[in-house]
Amino acid sequence: MTQAPAQDRGARSRDAILDTAGELMARYGYAATSISMISAECGLPASSLYWHFGSKDGIYVAVLERARTTLLAALPPAEVPGADVAQRLDVFLAEVEAAFQRHPRGVKLLLGLGTVQQDAGAAAVAEVHHYRDALLTWARDALSAVFGLRDHPEVADELARFTLRMAGGTAVARWFEPDAVLETGPLRVALLALAAHHGVLVRGTPGETGEGRRVPG
Amino acid sequence: MTQAPAQDRGARSRDAILDTAGELMARYGYAATSISMISAECGLPASSLYWHFGSKDGIYVAVLERARTTLLAALPPAEVPGADVAQRLDVFLAEVEAAFQRHPRGVKLLLGLGTVQQDAGAAAVAEVHHYRDALLTWARDALSAVFGLRDHPEVADELARFTLRMAGGTAVARWFEPDAVLETGPLRVALLALAAHHGVLVRGTPGETGEGRRVPG
DNA sequence: GTCTATAATGCGATAGAC
DNA sequence: GTCTATCGCATTATAGAC
């Protein structure tokens, strides 16, 4: 405990800055979050923020980068276990819901794009796009594996965009209801119906698929 | 054409301010939109904006009020014509898509809540909530009528929230793809499946319901 | 109602001691 | 790496002539 490992001081400050900046920017948006707010909240002077990140843009880029890697690491990989579609979908949605629950700021930070576009640099805008592209790719791969859509990439794309719009809409809903979660129940029904609608649900389960109401009571 | 009807000068300026303010705030968010930006864009001096609206908050409140009444007027009423669910749903979704298409800023302005919460007054925050509550009430009433859910208010509520999350997610998607529209095709499939899932689709149409792929070709 | 001019404040960013 | 102090500038908002 000898005071502080010296070389870790900087890294710990860096993390503290990213923590508070991420929280404030997710809550208020990029433009409404000032350097002095972050400085006051995390206890370090403004000049330290500039020493670590160079600019307000730099802070936002670093916040987004960390949020992206953290969220993508928490989201389920493409190889979801499960014998059939219904099983894999249940596992997939449960993990997605948990990931969004554990990292609530991950998606909300993306909503700042509009406010960033105006007064942030090209690097920040590029990172926002990179973030959203990574999420779209992830969703496409994961849903393709869940539904077995190797031969129907356009269906996987539709399911992915549908899922991401629900996620985005949920992030918006949290402005109004802070406890709102990704409602995987309706989403599950919708995804199954969409797959069936496109005729790609091999194992026939057109309407219901092992949902609670089918379970013998 | 005698110069200008004199009494209309003020009203026309008022509208011009709201037009440009609405466009800028929808694009960049509340915090990132400055008085000087609006002033430069609409040609009137900053002091005129203050004469008309008193403050930046006042402008935002007025913008939101007009967007709310305009959008709600463009959205289909609860009494959608149609003999069965499928017909009414088609009409409903077509009108909703058209309304969101014609008033693209209507929903996007709502996304500014986060950036407003920080540095705007209570009136602005209240109006944002009012706006979103009005949309939720509209969606509940309209979908209740479309699906005949007078006896199942909780189902109407779920369908309404689902629809609004899709709309919110679509508004978010427009940050990245400006041409993105409310995809009523997948939404239609999802709503029918959700209704069927809750067992409230009286006229039996569990899986497909007069969709294009069923039409004889 | 619209204009010019300006006050008061907070912003992002930097300099330089330590 | 962290601190104090500060520069230059844009911001919201107001005063007062017209």
Side-chain angles (χ1 to χ4, degrees):
Chain A
M1 309 233 173
T2 65
Q3 180 68 11
Q7 76 182 84
D8 281 0
R9 287 267 294 163
R12 290 170 57 84
S13 290
R14 219 189 107 98
D15 282 346
I17 295 167
L18 290 184
D19 285 343
T20 60
E23 184 170 328
L24 292 172
M25 286 175 170
R27 177 150 36 175
Y28 302 125
Y30 174 83
T33 302
S34 69
I35 297 287
S36 50
M37 282 170 61
I38 305 169
S39 166
E41 192 85 6
C42 74
L44 291 164
S47 53
S48 280
L49 311 202
Y50 282 97
W51 189 90
H52 281 285
F53 300 103
S55 68
K56 190 183 173 183
D57 288 10
I59 297 176
Y60 186 58
V61 171
V63 165
L64 275 179
E65 272 176 352
R66 207 183 56 163
R68 169 169 52 83
T69 54
T70 303
L71 182 57
L72 283 174
L75 288 169
E79 297 82 18
V80 179
D84 60 4
V85 168
Q87 276 186 25
R88 291 196 295 271
L89 183 57
D90 283 341
V91 173
F92 170 76
L93 286 178
E95 294 193 28
V96 169
E97 181 179 359
F100 279 118
Q101 189 91 351
R102 258 195 294 274
H103 305 283
R105 281 162 282 158
V107 180
K108 223 186 273 186
L109 280 167
L110 267 180
L111 305 194
L113 209 222
T115 96
V116 167
Q117 230 158 347
Q118 172 56 17
D119 48 16
V125 176
E127 173 59 32
V128 175
H129 278 87
H130 182 188
Y131 193 171
R132 112 87 193 224
D133 289 345
L135 279 181
L136 187 55
T137 299
W138 160 80
R140 260 196 295 245
D141 291 348
L143 284 165
S144 181
V146 166
F147 283 91
L149 297 175
R150 226 183 19 166
D151 301 333
H152 304 273
E154 77 289 351
V155 177
D157 190 67
E158 180 176 307
L159 297 187
R161 289 174 185 275
F162 192 87
T163 303
L164 287 186
R165 292 211 180 174
M166 281 296 298
T170 301
V172 170
R174 291 206 201 185
W175 296 137
F176 304 96
E177 314 156 33
D179 311 325
V181 298
L182 217 203
E183 293 188 22
T184 50
L187 180 55
R188 180 179 182 281
V189 174
L191 289 176
L192 284 171
L194 278 173
H197 174 77
H198 288 291
V200 293
L201 214 48
V202 196
R203 227 167 311 272
T205 49
E208 300 277 331
T209 321
E211 178 63 13
R213 61 165 49 226
R214 270 285 178 85
V215 166
Chain B
M1 311 259 173
T2 67
Q3 178 69 9
Q7 76 182 83
D8 282 1
R9 286 266 296 163
R12 290 169 58 83
S13 290
R14 220 189 106 99
D15 282 347
I17 294 167
L18 291 183
D19 285 343
T20 61
E23 184 171 328
L24 292 172
M25 286 175 169
R27 176 150 38 175
Y28 303 124
Y30 174 84
T33 302
S34 68
I35 297 287
S36 51
M37 281 169 62
I38 304 170
S39 165
E41 194 84 6
C42 75
L44 290 164
S47 53
S48 279
L49 311 202
Y50 282 97
W51 188 91
H52 281 284
F53 300 103
S55 67
K56 189 183 172 183
D57 287 11
I59 297 176
Y60 186 58
V61 170
V63 165
L64 277 179
E65 272 176 352
R66 206 184 56 163
R68 168 169 53 82
T69 54
T70 303
L71 182 57
L72 283 174
L75 288 169
E79 298 81 18
V80 179
D84 59 4
V85 169
Q87 275 186 26
R88 290 196 295 271
L89 184 56
D90 282 342
V91 172
F92 170 76
L93 286 178
E95 293 191 28
V96 169
E97 181 179 359
F100 279 118
Q101 190 90 351
R102 258 194 294 274
H103 305 282
R105 282 162 280 159
V107 181
K108 223 185 276 185
L109 281 167
L110 268 180
L111 306 195
L113 209 221
T115 98
V116 167
Q117 229 156 350
Q118 170 56 17
D119 46 16
V125 176
E127 173 59 32
V128 174
H129 278 88
H130 182 189
Y131 192 171
R132 112 87 192 222
D133 289 345
L135 279 180
L136 187 54
T137 300
W138 160 80
R140 261 195 295 246
D141 291 348
L143 284 165
S144 180
V146 166
F147 282 92
L149 297 174
R150 225 183 18 168
D151 301 333
H152 304 273
E154 78 288 350
V155 177
D157 189 67
E158 180 176 307
L159 296 187
R161 289 175 186 275
F162 193 89
T163 303
L164 287 186
R165 292 210 180 175
M166 280 297 297
T170 301
V172 171
R174 290 206 202 186
W175 295 137
F176 304 95
E177 313 155 33
D179 310 326
V181 298
L182 217 203
E183 292 188 21
T184 51
L187 180 57
R188 179 179 183 282
V189 174
L191 289 176
L192 284 171
L194 278 172
H197 173 77
H198 289 291
V200 292
L201 213 48
V202 197
R203 224 169 313 272
T205 48
E208 300 274 334
T209 322
E211 177 63 13
R213 59 166 48 227
R214 269 286 177 86
V215 166

